Amino acid sequence: MEALKFDQLPNLVADLKNEVLEMKALLLQKAEPQQEPDKPINIKDVAELTGLTVPTLYGYVQRNEIPFNKKGNRLYFFNSDIISWIKTGKQKTLKELASEADAFLSNK
């Protein structure tokens, strides 16, 4: 390695800065998850995802209790819709219910 001279310092700093920016861009590109477009899944895949049986799912579809899309005679589901549907069924804990009751009674 040859000795660096003071005259070379600005150019070397500029080169280092460019390399750091390139590395940062590459790291940010890797860090951002590449989201795939939401592909439609069939009712058997929904059964595996939810743990429900296919006839139960057909009942939910008939009563419009589950998000679905229909094209012709085929049913299509989207993974994100099913996950959101599952999350809407969250039951409140006793503490949450008690705090809501206290807030309601304090307002009255």
mmCIF file of all heavy atoms in Angstrom, residues 29-73:
data_model
loop_
_atom_site.group_PDB
_atom_site.id
_atom_site.type_symbol
_atom_site.label_atom_id
_atom_site.label_comp_id
_atom_site.label_asym_id
_atom_site.label_seq_id
_atom_site.Cartn_x
_atom_site.Cartn_y
_atom_site.Cartn_z
ATOM 1 N N GLN A 29 -32.353 -1.707 -0.344
ATOM 2 C CA GLN A 29 -33.081 -2.503 -1.323
ATOM 3 C C GLN A 29 -33.314 -3.915 -0.786
ATOM 4 O O GLN A 29 -34.377 -4.480 -0.953
ATOM 5 C CB GLN A 29 -32.299 -2.556 -2.631
ATOM 6 C CG GLN A 29 -33.014 -3.269 -3.756
ATOM 7 C CD GLN A 29 -32.179 -3.287 -5.018
ATOM 8 O OE1 GLN A 29 -30.988 -3.004 -4.999
ATOM 9 N NE2 GLN A 29 -32.807 -3.616 -6.120
ATOM 10 N N LYS A 30 -32.325 -4.479 -0.114
ATOM 11 C CA LYS A 30 -32.477 -5.812 0.463
ATOM 12 C C LYS A 30 -33.404 -5.797 1.665
ATOM 13 O O LYS A 30 -34.130 -6.744 1.909
ATOM 14 C CB LYS A 30 -31.112 -6.362 0.889
ATOM 15 C CG LYS A 30 -30.323 -6.942 -0.213
ATOM 16 C CD LYS A 30 -29.752 -8.236 0.266
ATOM 17 C CE LYS A 30 -28.999 -8.880 -0.849
ATOM 18 N NZ LYS A 30 -29.384 -10.208 -1.092
ATOM 19 N N ALA A 31 -33.380 -4.706 2.434
ATOM 20 C CA ALA A 31 -34.166 -4.637 3.661
ATOM 21 C C ALA A 31 -35.654 -4.532 3.371
ATOM 22 O O ALA A 31 -36.474 -5.017 4.135
ATOM 23 C CB ALA A 31 -33.714 -3.452 4.508
ATOM 24 N N GLU A 32 -36.036 -3.868 2.280
ATOM 25 C CA GLU A 32 -37.450 -3.728 1.950
ATOM 26 C C GLU A 32 -37.963 -5.040 1.388
ATOM 27 O O GLU A 32 -37.464 -5.524 0.383
ATOM 28 C CB GLU A 32 -37.649 -2.618 0.906
ATOM 29 C CG GLU A 32 -37.298 -1.249 1.409
ATOM 30 C CD GLU A 32 -37.391 -0.199 0.316
ATOM 31 O OE1 GLU A 32 -37.818 -0.538 -0.802
ATOM 32 O OE2 GLU A 32 -37.019 0.934 0.597
ATOM 33 N N PRO A 33 -38.943 -5.642 2.063
ATOM 34 C CA PRO A 33 -39.447 -6.908 1.549
ATOM 35 C C PRO A 33 -40.155 -6.700 0.221
ATOM 36 O O PRO A 33 -40.952 -5.771 0.072
ATOM 37 C CB PRO A 33 -40.418 -7.380 2.634
ATOM 38 C CG PRO A 33 -40.786 -6.154 3.374
ATOM 39 C CD PRO A 33 -39.624 -5.206 3.245
ATOM 40 N N GLN A 34 -39.844 -7.540 -0.716
ATOM 41 C CA GLN A 34 -40.496 -7.469 -2.014
ATOM 42 C C GLN A 34 -41.848 -8.143 -1.896
ATOM 43 O O GLN A 34 -41.944 -9.351 -1.751
ATOM 44 C CB GLN A 34 -39.640 -8.182 -3.082
ATOM 45 C CG GLN A 34 -38.251 -7.603 -3.242
ATOM 46 C CD GLN A 34 -38.276 -6.194 -3.801
ATOM 47 O OE1 GLN A 34 -39.172 -5.839 -4.538
ATOM 48 N NE2 GLN A 34 -37.298 -5.396 -3.427
ATOM 49 N N GLN A 35 -42.902 -7.347 -1.907
ATOM 50 C CA GLN A 35 -44.240 -7.895 -1.757
ATOM 51 C C GLN A 35 -44.718 -8.436 -3.097
ATOM 52 O O GLN A 35 -44.689 -7.747 -4.107
ATOM 53 C CB GLN A 35 -45.207 -6.833 -1.249
ATOM 54 C CG GLN A 35 -44.920 -6.418 0.159
ATOM 55 C CD GLN A 35 -45.970 -5.443 0.654
ATOM 56 O OE1 GLN A 35 -46.794 -4.972 -0.097
ATOM 57 N NE2 GLN A 35 -45.925 -5.157 1.932
ATOM 58 N N GLU A 36 -45.140 -9.689 -3.045
ATOM 59 C CA GLU A 36 -45.701 -10.288 -4.243
ATOM 60 C C GLU A 36 -47.140 -9.825 -4.377
ATOM 61 O O GLU A 36 -47.819 -9.570 -3.397
ATOM 62 C CB GLU A 36 -45.691 -11.814 -4.108
ATOM 63 C CG GLU A 36 -44.315 -12.422 -4.009
ATOM 64 C CD GLU A 36 -44.377 -13.920 -3.853
ATOM 65 O OE1 GLU A 36 -45.429 -14.518 -4.138
ATOM 66 O OE2 GLU A 36 -43.378 -14.496 -3.443
ATOM 67 N N PRO A 37 -47.606 -9.738 -5.614
ATOM 68 C CA PRO A 37 -49.023 -9.421 -5.765
ATOM 69 C C PRO A 37 -49.853 -10.539 -5.154
ATOM 70 O O PRO A 37 -49.470 -11.700 -5.193
ATOM 71 C CB PRO A 37 -49.219 -9.325 -7.271
ATOM 72 C CG PRO A 37 -47.972 -9.825 -7.906
ATOM 73 C CD PRO A 37 -46.917 -9.885 -6.862
ATOM 74 N N ASP A 38 -50.940 -10.142 -4.554
ATOM 75 C CA ASP A 38 -51.799 -11.097 -3.873
ATOM 76 C C ASP A 38 -52.446 -12.016 -4.907
ATOM 77 O O ASP A 38 -53.265 -11.578 -5.707
ATOM 78 C CB ASP A 38 -52.860 -10.336 -3.071
ATOM 79 C CG ASP A 38 -53.332 -11.100 -1.861
ATOM 80 O OD1 ASP A 38 -52.753 -12.163 -1.560
ATOM 81 O OD2 ASP A 38 -54.275 -10.637 -1.217
ATOM 82 N N LYS A 39 -52.052 -13.294 -4.901
ATOM 83 C CA LYS A 39 -52.595 -14.259 -5.848
ATOM 84 C C LYS A 39 -53.871 -14.862 -5.276
ATOM 85 O O LYS A 39 -53.964 -15.105 -4.078
ATOM 86 C CB LYS A 39 -51.600 -15.385 -6.095
ATOM 87 C CG LYS A 39 -50.342 -14.956 -6.772
ATOM 88 C CD LYS A 39 -49.445 -16.158 -6.981
ATOM 89 C CE LYS A 39 -48.096 -15.759 -7.505
ATOM 90 N NZ LYS A 39 -47.209 -16.909 -7.627
ATOM 91 N N PRO A 40 -54.836 -15.133 -6.135
ATOM 92 C CA PRO A 40 -56.043 -15.788 -5.635
ATOM 93 C C PRO A 40 -55.738 -17.232 -5.248
ATOM 94 O O PRO A 40 -54.895 -17.891 -5.859
ATOM 95 C CB PRO A 40 -57.007 -15.723 -6.819
ATOM 96 C CG PRO A 40 -56.174 -15.432 -8.010
ATOM 97 C CD PRO A 40 -54.916 -14.799 -7.545
ATOM 98 N N ILE A 41 -56.401 -17.690 -4.198
ATOM 99 C CA ILE A 41 -56.249 -19.077 -3.755
ATOM 100 C C ILE A 41 -57.618 -19.746 -3.798
ATOM 101 O O ILE A 41 -58.648 -19.080 -3.786
ATOM 102 C CB ILE A 41 -55.631 -19.156 -2.338
ATOM 103 C CG1 ILE A 41 -56.457 -18.381 -1.324
ATOM 104 C CG2 ILE A 41 -54.201 -18.673 -2.344
ATOM 105 C CD1 ILE A 41 -55.948 -18.484 0.098
ATOM 106 N N ASN A 42 -57.609 -21.071 -3.855
ATOM 107 C CA ASN A 42 -58.883 -21.789 -3.939
ATOM 108 C C ASN A 42 -59.370 -22.170 -2.545
ATOM 109 O O ASN A 42 -58.706 -21.945 -1.537
ATOM 110 C CB ASN A 42 -58.772 -23.008 -4.862
ATOM 111 C CG ASN A 42 -57.759 -24.016 -4.363
ATOM 112 O OD1 ASN A 42 -57.504 -24.122 -3.172
ATOM 113 N ND2 ASN A 42 -57.174 -24.762 -5.279
ATOM 114 N N ILE A 43 -60.527 -22.771 -2.495
ATOM 115 C CA ILE A 43 -61.171 -23.055 -1.209
ATOM 116 C C ILE A 43 -60.404 -24.101 -0.406
ATOM 117 O O ILE A 43 -60.408 -24.066 0.825
ATOM 118 C CB ILE A 43 -62.652 -23.444 -1.417
ATOM 119 C CG1 ILE A 43 -63.419 -23.288 -0.111
ATOM 120 C CG2 ILE A 43 -62.778 -24.840 -1.990
ATOM 121 C CD1 ILE A 43 -64.900 -23.135 -0.284
ATOM 122 N N LYS A 44 -59.699 -25.002 -1.083
ATOM 123 C CA LYS A 44 -58.895 -26.003 -0.362
ATOM 124 C C LYS A 44 -57.732 -25.337 0.360
ATOM 125 O O LYS A 44 -57.395 -25.707 1.485
ATOM 126 C CB LYS A 44 -58.398 -27.072 -1.326
ATOM 127 C CG LYS A 44 -59.502 -27.961 -1.849
ATOM 128 C CD LYS A 44 -58.984 -28.990 -2.811
ATOM 129 C CE LYS A 44 -60.150 -29.794 -3.382
ATOM 130 N NZ LYS A 44 -59.710 -30.722 -4.413
ATOM 131 N N ASP A 45 -57.127 -24.342 -0.283
ATOM 132 C CA ASP A 45 -56.039 -23.596 0.364
ATOM 133 C C ASP A 45 -56.561 -22.794 1.556
ATOM 134 O O ASP A 45 -55.887 -22.673 2.584
ATOM 135 C CB ASP A 45 -55.358 -22.664 -0.635
ATOM 136 C CG ASP A 45 -54.659 -23.417 -1.752
ATOM 137 O OD1 ASP A 45 -54.265 -24.571 -1.528
ATOM 138 O OD2 ASP A 45 -54.522 -22.838 -2.851
ATOM 139 N N VAL A 46 -57.773 -22.251 1.418
ATOM 140 C CA VAL A 46 -58.385 -21.511 2.529
ATOM 141 C C VAL A 46 -58.660 -22.469 3.688
ATOM 142 O O VAL A 46 -58.460 -22.121 4.859
ATOM 143 C CB VAL A 46 -59.681 -20.801 2.076
ATOM 144 C CG1 VAL A 46 -60.363 -20.133 3.250
ATOM 145 C CG2 VAL A 46 -59.377 -19.789 1.002
ATOM 146 N N ALA A 47 -59.090 -23.690 3.369
ATOM 147 C CA ALA A 47 -59.338 -24.684 4.415
ATOM 148 C C ALA A 47 -58.054 -25.001 5.165
ATOM 149 O O ALA A 47 -58.056 -25.119 6.395
ATOM 150 C CB ALA A 47 -59.934 -25.951 3.798
ATOM 151 N N GLU A 48 -56.945 -25.129 4.442
ATOM 152 C CA GLU A 48 -55.654 -25.381 5.101
ATOM 153 C C GLU A 48 -55.232 -24.194 5.956
ATOM 154 O O GLU A 48 -54.715 -24.356 7.052
ATOM 155 C CB GLU A 48 -54.572 -25.663 4.060
ATOM 156 C CG GLU A 48 -54.673 -27.015 3.421
ATOM 157 C CD GLU A 48 -53.552 -27.242 2.417
ATOM 158 O OE1 GLU A 48 -52.478 -26.627 2.560
ATOM 159 O OE2 GLU A 48 -53.768 -28.038 1.489
ATOM 160 N N LEU A 49 -55.452 -23.000 5.435
ATOM 161 C CA LEU A 49 -55.040 -21.783 6.140
ATOM 162 C C LEU A 49 -55.837 -21.575 7.422
ATOM 163 O O LEU A 49 -55.279 -21.219 8.461
ATOM 164 C CB LEU A 49 -55.210 -20.572 5.210
ATOM 165 C CG LEU A 49 -54.868 -19.202 5.766
ATOM 166 C CD1 LEU A 49 -53.380 -19.107 6.070
ATOM 167 C CD2 LEU A 49 -55.260 -18.121 4.778
ATOM 168 N N THR A 50 -57.140 -21.809 7.361
ATOM 169 C CA THR A 50 -58.005 -21.521 8.506
ATOM 170 C C THR A 50 -58.218 -22.714 9.425
ATOM 171 O O THR A 50 -58.599 -22.542 10.573
ATOM 172 C CB THR A 50 -59.383 -21.043 8.028
ATOM 173 O OG1 THR A 50 -59.978 -22.074 7.233
ATOM 174 C CG2 THR A 50 -59.272 -19.758 7.245
ATOM 175 N N GLY A 51 -58.017 -23.926 8.910
ATOM 176 C CA GLY A 51 -58.295 -25.113 9.709
ATOM 177 C C GLY A 51 -59.767 -25.489 9.680
ATOM 178 O O GLY A 51 -60.196 -26.374 10.418
ATOM 179 N N LEU A 52 -60.552 -24.829 8.841
ATOM 180 C CA LEU A 52 -61.968 -25.142 8.700
ATOM 181 C C LEU A 52 -62.150 -26.143 7.565
ATOM 182 O O LEU A 52 -61.293 -26.262 6.681
ATOM 183 C CB LEU A 52 -62.773 -23.866 8.393
ATOM 184 C CG LEU A 52 -62.716 -22.771 9.453
ATOM 185 C CD1 LEU A 52 -63.337 -21.492 8.919
ATOM 186 C CD2 LEU A 52 -63.417 -23.215 10.717
ATOM 187 N N THR A 53 -63.272 -26.834 7.569
ATOM 188 C CA THR A 53 -63.527 -27.788 6.502
ATOM 189 C C THR A 53 -64.103 -27.064 5.290
ATOM 190 O O THR A 53 -64.646 -25.955 5.407
ATOM 191 C CB THR A 53 -64.520 -28.882 6.951
ATOM 192 O OG1 THR A 53 -65.766 -28.262 7.253
ATOM 193 C CG2 THR A 53 -63.999 -29.628 8.163
ATOM 194 N N VAL A 54 -63.994 -27.708 4.141
ATOM 195 C CA VAL A 54 -64.509 -27.122 2.906
ATOM 196 C C VAL A 54 -66.019 -26.903 2.988
ATOM 197 O O VAL A 54 -66.505 -25.823 2.611
ATOM 198 C CB VAL A 54 -64.099 -27.981 1.686
ATOM 199 C CG1 VAL A 54 -64.777 -27.481 0.419
ATOM 200 C CG2 VAL A 54 -62.588 -27.971 1.519
ATOM 201 N N PRO A 55 -66.829 -27.871 3.495
ATOM 202 C CA PRO A 55 -68.266 -27.602 3.600
ATOM 203 C C PRO A 55 -68.594 -26.415 4.513
ATOM 204 O O PRO A 55 -69.514 -25.645 4.232
ATOM 205 C CB PRO A 55 -68.830 -28.903 4.171
ATOM 206 C CG PRO A 55 -67.852 -29.947 3.780
ATOM 207 C CD PRO A 55 -66.518 -29.268 3.793
ATOM 208 N N THR A 56 -67.833 -26.248 5.590
ATOM 209 C CA THR A 56 -68.039 -25.104 6.478
ATOM 210 C C THR A 56 -67.767 -23.807 5.727
ATOM 211 O O THR A 56 -68.519 -22.831 5.846
ATOM 212 C CB THR A 56 -67.127 -25.202 7.713
ATOM 213 O OG1 THR A 56 -67.412 -26.408 8.408
ATOM 214 C CG2 THR A 56 -67.299 -24.015 8.633
ATOM 215 N N LEU A 57 -66.706 -23.783 4.946
ATOM 216 C CA LEU A 57 -66.376 -22.593 4.171
ATOM 217 C C LEU A 57 -67.457 -22.281 3.139
ATOM 218 O O LEU A 57 -67.804 -21.123 2.928
ATOM 219 C CB LEU A 57 -65.018 -22.756 3.490
ATOM 220 C CG LEU A 57 -63.819 -22.750 4.442
ATOM 221 C CD1 LEU A 57 -62.550 -23.139 3.707
ATOM 222 C CD2 LEU A 57 -63.665 -21.397 5.102
ATOM 223 N N TYR A 58 -68.005 -23.332 2.495
ATOM 224 C CA TYR A 58 -69.100 -23.101 1.543
ATOM 225 C C TYR A 58 -70.316 -22.500 2.261
ATOM 226 O O TYR A 58 -71.004 -21.641 1.716
ATOM 227 C CB TYR A 58 -69.499 -24.392 0.834
ATOM 228 C CG TYR A 58 -68.620 -24.739 -0.344
ATOM 229 C CD1 TYR A 58 -67.962 -25.961 -0.406
ATOM 230 C CD2 TYR A 58 -68.462 -23.856 -1.401
ATOM 231 C CE1 TYR A 58 -67.162 -26.285 -1.484
ATOM 232 C CE2 TYR A 58 -67.663 -24.172 -2.489
ATOM 233 C CZ TYR A 58 -67.020 -25.392 -2.522
ATOM 234 O OH TYR A 58 -66.227 -25.701 -3.596
ATOM 235 N N GLY A 59 -70.564 -22.924 3.493
ATOM 236 C CA GLY A 59 -71.650 -22.331 4.270
ATOM 237 C C GLY A 59 -71.393 -20.861 4.564
ATOM 238 O O GLY A 59 -72.293 -20.025 4.466
ATOM 239 N N TYR A 60 -70.137 -20.526 4.917
ATOM 240 C CA TYR A 60 -69.783 -19.128 5.157
ATOM 241 C C TYR A 60 -69.955 -18.297 3.893
ATOM 242 O O TYR A 60 -70.408 -17.152 3.943
ATOM 243 C CB TYR A 60 -68.345 -19.015 5.652
ATOM 244 C CG TYR A 60 -68.131 -19.449 7.089
ATOM 245 C CD1 TYR A 60 -66.852 -19.690 7.569
ATOM 246 C CD2 TYR A 60 -69.187 -19.621 7.966
ATOM 247 C CE1 TYR A 60 -66.638 -20.074 8.874
ATOM 248 C CE2 TYR A 60 -68.977 -20.014 9.273
ATOM 249 C CZ TYR A 60 -67.707 -20.239 9.723
ATOM 250 O OH TYR A 60 -67.497 -20.618 11.018
ATOM 251 N N VAL A 61 -69.587 -18.866 2.741
ATOM 252 C CA VAL A 61 -69.743 -18.163 1.469
ATOM 253 C C VAL A 61 -71.223 -17.921 1.190
ATOM 254 O O VAL A 61 -71.627 -16.829 0.798
ATOM 255 C CB VAL A 61 -69.079 -18.955 0.320
ATOM 256 C CG1 VAL A 61 -69.512 -18.425 -1.041
ATOM 257 C CG2 VAL A 61 -67.568 -18.912 0.448
ATOM 258 N N GLN A 62 -72.042 -18.941 1.415
ATOM 259 C CA GLN A 62 -73.471 -18.827 1.145
ATOM 260 C C GLN A 62 -74.113 -17.731 2.001
ATOM 261 O O GLN A 62 -74.989 -17.006 1.548
ATOM 262 C CB GLN A 62 -74.151 -20.175 1.409
ATOM 263 C CG GLN A 62 -75.607 -20.203 1.047
ATOM 264 C CD GLN A 62 -76.225 -21.569 1.298
ATOM 265 O OE1 GLN A 62 -75.652 -22.395 2.014
ATOM 266 N NE2 GLN A 62 -77.385 -21.807 0.734
ATOM 267 N N ARG A 63 -73.637 -17.597 3.249
ATOM 268 C CA ARG A 63 -74.189 -16.590 4.161
ATOM 269 C C ARG A 63 -73.407 -15.273 4.103
ATOM 270 O O ARG A 63 -73.638 -14.383 4.911
ATOM 271 C CB ARG A 63 -74.187 -17.136 5.589
ATOM 272 C CG ARG A 63 -75.137 -18.304 5.795
ATOM 273 C CD ARG A 63 -75.206 -18.746 7.244
ATOM 274 N NE ARG A 63 -73.926 -19.154 7.810
ATOM 275 C CZ ARG A 63 -73.401 -20.383 7.721
ATOM 276 N NH1 ARG A 63 -74.057 -21.323 7.065
ATOM 277 N NH2 ARG A 63 -72.251 -20.658 8.272
ATOM 278 N N ASN A 64 -72.477 -15.163 3.159
ATOM 279 C CA ASN A 64 -71.627 -13.966 2.998
ATOM 280 C C ASN A 64 -70.889 -13.610 4.291
ATOM 281 O O ASN A 64 -70.754 -12.436 4.630
ATOM 282 C CB ASN A 64 -72.441 -12.759 2.511
ATOM 283 C CG ASN A 64 -72.884 -12.908 1.081
ATOM 284 O OD1 ASN A 64 -72.150 -13.449 0.267
ATOM 285 N ND2 ASN A 64 -74.086 -12.470 0.792
ATOM 286 N N GLU A 65 -70.396 -14.607 4.991
ATOM 287 C CA GLU A 65 -69.667 -14.366 6.239
ATOM 288 C C GLU A 65 -68.160 -14.332 6.033
ATOM 289 O O GLU A 65 -67.419 -14.002 6.967
ATOM 290 C CB GLU A 65 -70.013 -15.458 7.258
ATOM 291 C CG GLU A 65 -71.455 -15.430 7.696
ATOM 292 C CD GLU A 65 -71.790 -16.529 8.687
ATOM 293 O OE1 GLU A 65 -70.857 -17.222 9.157
ATOM 294 O OE2 GLU A 65 -72.969 -16.707 8.992
ATOM 295 N N ILE A 66 -67.698 -14.675 4.863
ATOM 296 C CA ILE A 66 -66.269 -14.712 4.572
ATOM 297 C C ILE A 66 -66.035 -13.927 3.280
ATOM 298 O O ILE A 66 -66.869 -13.970 2.373
ATOM 299 C CB ILE A 66 -65.775 -16.179 4.455
ATOM 300 C CG1 ILE A 66 -64.266 -16.253 4.379
ATOM 301 C CG2 ILE A 66 -66.417 -16.893 3.277
ATOM 302 C CD1 ILE A 66 -63.723 -17.662 4.525
ATOM 303 N N PRO A 67 -64.938 -13.175 3.197
ATOM 304 C CA PRO A 67 -64.686 -12.421 1.954
ATOM 305 C C PRO A 67 -64.294 -13.365 0.811
ATOM 306 O O PRO A 67 -63.414 -14.213 0.968
ATOM 307 C CB PRO A 67 -63.535 -11.490 2.322
ATOM 308 C CG PRO A 67 -62.894 -12.089 3.510
ATOM 309 C CD PRO A 67 -63.931 -12.892 4.216
ATOM 310 N N PHE A 68 -64.969 -13.226 -0.318
ATOM 311 C CA PHE A 68 -64.672 -14.056 -1.478
ATOM 312 C C PHE A 68 -64.974 -13.284 -2.750
ATOM 313 O O PHE A 68 -65.637 -12.256 -2.726
ATOM 314 C CB PHE A 68 -65.481 -15.358 -1.440
ATOM 315 C CG PHE A 68 -66.962 -15.164 -1.637
ATOM 316 C CD1 PHE A 68 -67.530 -15.300 -2.888
ATOM 317 C CD2 PHE A 68 -67.781 -14.846 -0.565
ATOM 318 C CE1 PHE A 68 -68.894 -15.120 -3.071
ATOM 319 C CE2 PHE A 68 -69.141 -14.662 -0.730
ATOM 320 C CZ PHE A 68 -69.703 -14.796 -1.993
ATOM 321 N N ASN A 69 -64.447 -13.809 -3.842
ATOM 322 C CA ASN A 69 -64.730 -13.261 -5.170
ATOM 323 C C ASN A 69 -65.253 -14.409 -6.014
ATOM 324 O O ASN A 69 -64.811 -15.553 -5.862
ATOM 325 C CB ASN A 69 -63.465 -12.685 -5.815
ATOM 326 C CG ASN A 69 -62.939 -11.506 -5.048
ATOM 327 O OD1 ASN A 69 -63.656 -10.554 -4.807
ATOM 328 N ND2 ASN A 69 -61.681 -11.576 -4.645
ATOM 329 N N LYS A 70 -66.176 -14.094 -6.894
ATOM 330 C CA LYS A 70 -66.761 -15.124 -7.727
ATOM 331 C C LYS A 70 -66.684 -14.688 -9.175
ATOM 332 O O LYS A 70 -67.092 -13.592 -9.526
ATOM 333 C CB LYS A 70 -68.208 -15.373 -7.324
ATOM 334 C CG LYS A 70 -68.814 -16.583 -7.969
ATOM 335 C CD LYS A 70 -70.157 -16.903 -7.347
ATOM 336 C CE LYS A 70 -70.681 -18.187 -7.952
ATOM 337 N NZ LYS A 70 -71.948 -18.584 -7.374
ATOM 338 N N LYS A 71 -66.137 -15.535 -9.999
ATOM 339 C CA LYS A 71 -66.062 -15.306 -11.434
ATOM 340 C C LYS A 71 -66.635 -16.538 -12.106
ATOM 341 O O LYS A 71 -66.066 -17.626 -12.028
ATOM 342 C CB LYS A 71 -64.610 -15.079 -11.856
ATOM 343 C CG LYS A 71 -64.426 -14.632 -13.253
ATOM 344 C CD LYS A 71 -64.824 -13.198 -13.385
ATOM 345 C CE LYS A 71 -64.468 -12.704 -14.768
ATOM 346 N NZ LYS A 71 -64.918 -11.375 -14.993
ATOM 347 N N GLY A 72 -67.810 -16.383 -12.697
ATOM 348 C CA GLY A 72 -68.493 -17.554 -13.252
ATOM 349 C C GLY A 72 -68.966 -18.430 -12.108
ATOM 350 O O GLY A 72 -69.618 -17.973 -11.179
ATOM 351 N N ASN A 73 -68.625 -19.693 -12.183
ATOM 352 C CA ASN A 73 -68.987 -20.623 -11.108
ATOM 353 C C ASN A 73 -67.831 -20.884 -10.158
ATOM 354 O O ASN A 73 -67.914 -21.782 -9.325
ATOM 355 C CB ASN A 73 -69.462 -21.954 -11.698
ATOM 356 C CG ASN A 73 -70.815 -21.816 -12.365
ATOM 357 O OD1 ASN A 73 -71.601 -20.955 -11.976
ATOM 358 N ND2 ASN A 73 -71.080 -22.640 -13.363
#
